[in-house]
Amino acid sequence: APISTISTFSVVLLVSPDSPLKSVKDLIAQAKANPNKLNIGTIIIGSTQYLSAELFKSMAGLDMVTVPFNNTGAVITALRGNSVQVAFEVLAPVIGQIKGGGVRALAVTPGSRFAGLPEIPTVAESGVPGYQVTTWNGIAAPAKTPRAIIERLNQEVNAALAAPDLKQRF
């Protein structure tokens, strides 16, 4: 039984800082000119990142290989070492690397730009109309939890999420 959504997260399309790919349109053109020659790094099969990459390939009509890794660190290492040419990752763990120049963001996946990086366009703005991915975390209880308990938990979670210090952290 769902209690509450805790937070939502953007996914970001990344390249290495020295990549010749400067935009999603560059990526699409390069991938179409060289089918199955570019690799996309993500974390494990079935993750939001993996599904984001698969949706991108499908909507853009691309033949690219999606390479799943066990964790974000391995994806970034592969990206910086050019084992993969692009990566899809949740924004939160890589925002410091984006701002520090360790990786370059080509686009974010939600329907609107991320306020913390307003110069980075969305995938939809960048040539894949209708593309939109957002992931989220939430809290749930066992299915037969009484409705009154679910409602009380929902109120308490929402009150905690409204607290200024927690809002700032999130």
Side-chain angles (χ1 to χ4, degrees):
I3 294 170
S4 181
T5 300
I6 299 297
S7 56
T8 59
F9 302 96
S10 298
V11 176
V12 62
L13 175 55
L14 301 166
V15 295
S16 67
D18 58 349
S19 172
L21 303 172
K22 305 295 183 198
S23 68
V24 172
K25 287 182 181 176
D26 288 350
L27 169 58
I28 291 170
Q30 183 75 1
K32 285 189 176 188
N34 300 285
N36 289 311
K37 300 285 190 214
L38 298 179
N39 297 322
I40 301 175
T42 71
I43 65 166
I44 61 175
I45 294 172
S47 66
T48 298
Q49 296 90 317
Y50 184 88
L51 296 173
S52 297
E54 293 299 305
L55 180 63
F56 175 77
K57 291 181 341 187
S58 175
M59 290 182 73
L62 304 178
D63 290 321
M64 298 174 72
V65 178
T66 304
V67 182
F69 292 87
N70 287 330
N71 56 57
T72 298
V75 173
I76 299 304
T77 298
L79 182 65
R80 294 183 71 180
N82 203 36
S83 296
V84 298
Q85 291 69 50
V86 297
F88 279 81
E89 185 51 76
V90 171
L91 183 56
V94 297
I95 194 165
Q97 291 192 50
I98 294 168
K99 289 183 174 183
V103 294
R104 187 163 22 94
L106 294 184
V108 294
T109 64
S112 59
R113 292 183 183 210
F114 175 67
L117 297 168
E119 70 281 8
I120 308 301
T122 68
V123 173
E125 288 177 306
S126 300
V128 187
Y131 182 96
Q132 183 175 338
V133 173
T134 303
T135 190
W136 55 274
N137 286 335
I139 296 177
K144 295 188 184 217
T145 302
R147 187 77 197 146
I149 292 173
I150 297 293
E151 289 173 4
R152 172 72 189 271
L153 289 170
N154 174 270
Q155 290 171 354
E156 296 297 331
V157 167
N158 288 332
L161 292 172
D165 59 332
L166 192 56
K167 280 180 104 166
Q168 180 61 33
R169 279 186 75 174
F170 279 5

